[in-house]
Amino acid sequence: MSDVAGLKKDLSRRMEGAVEVLHKEFTGLRTGRASVSLLEPVMVEAYGVPTPLNQVASVSVPESRMLSVQVWDKSMVKAVEKAIRDSGLGLNPAADGTLVRVPIPALNEERRTELSKVAGKYAEQAKISVRNVRRDGMDQLKKWEKDGDISKDEMHDEEKEVQKLTDKVIGEIDEALAHKEQEIMQV
């Protein structure tokens, strides 16, 4: 038995999930401005276990090009400093007691272009995910039509709906990419 409404809800949920993943990936891309989310992927070796930075310290943005990391346990300061330095984000933290200051260097033109390309790759991956969800939906509609659960006309109408949803979500991805590229290229 076909459940067209359930299928559309599932496709929509899965497509929006791809957009959410894209937004998360974009927050990890460094622009010239400080952002708390910049340090989200950083893992600290805490008591022999890799631990997310936000579980051993609080991160704040005291000014536009500075992150401030307040480490809760004094014995963890060196580990936090090392984790930020080794994170591959190109940051050079400096400890001051239990406070670790992380200056955010300005990006040069070459690095901005590189980050734009990475953002483009993330967006393309999201689009591929959305297209795969669309394909799954189209396959399900064809199966239902073949099994006689829906008519050929219903199948064509629903295919148009699935395509409309796909176009809408791809548009959201393009918009997010344009916004991120503008943010990256802003000096």
Side-chain angles (χ1 to χ4, degrees), residues 6 28 38 51 59 64 74 97 100 105 117-118 129-130 133 140 157 167 178:
L38 183 63
T51 310
V59 182
S64 66
K74 195 171 175 63
V100 177
K117 284 180 185 166
V118 171
S129 296
V130 168
V133 171
Q140 184 61 55
D157 290 346
D167 294 343

Side-chain angles (χ1 to χ4, degrees), residues 21-137:
V21 167
L22 177 67
H23 285 296
K24 278 199 179 79
E25 287 173 330
F26 277 175
T27 59
L29 280 182
R30 185 163 74 81
T31 59
R33 290 195 304 275
S35 163
V36 174
S37 60
L38 183 63
L39 296 180
E40 268 178 19
V42 176
M43 298 297 272
V44 179
E45 195 66 32
Y47 316 109
V49 181
T51 310
L53 177 68
N54 64 9
Q55 292 183 13
V56 295
S58 58
V59 182
S60 62
V61 184
E63 52 191 87
S64 66
R65 290 202 183 274
M66 177 75 69
L67 287 172
S68 182
V69 182
Q70 183 64 54
V71 184
W72 300 323
D73 180 348
K74 195 171 175 63
S75 66
M76 294 298 303
V77 174
K78 287 281 179 236
V80 166
E81 200 177 355
K82 181 182 182 330
I84 294 170
R85 189 169 286 115
D86 298 346
S87 66
L89 294 170
L91 301 173
N92 193 13
D96 178 14
T98 57
L99 187 70
V100 177
R101 287 190 174 83
V102 186
I104 307 296
L107 298 174
N108 61 21
E109 196 59 37
E110 183 183 321
R111 183 72 177 129
R112 288 177 193 278
T113 306
E114 213 175 281
L115 285 174
S116 283
K117 284 180 185 166
V118 171
K121 282 182 189 156
Y122 287 164
E124 193 50 44
Q125 282 304 114
K127 286 181 184 180
I128 289 168
S129 296
V130 168
R131 289 187 198 114
N132 288 340
V133 171
R134 178 192 60 197
R135 186 197 58 226
D136 293 348

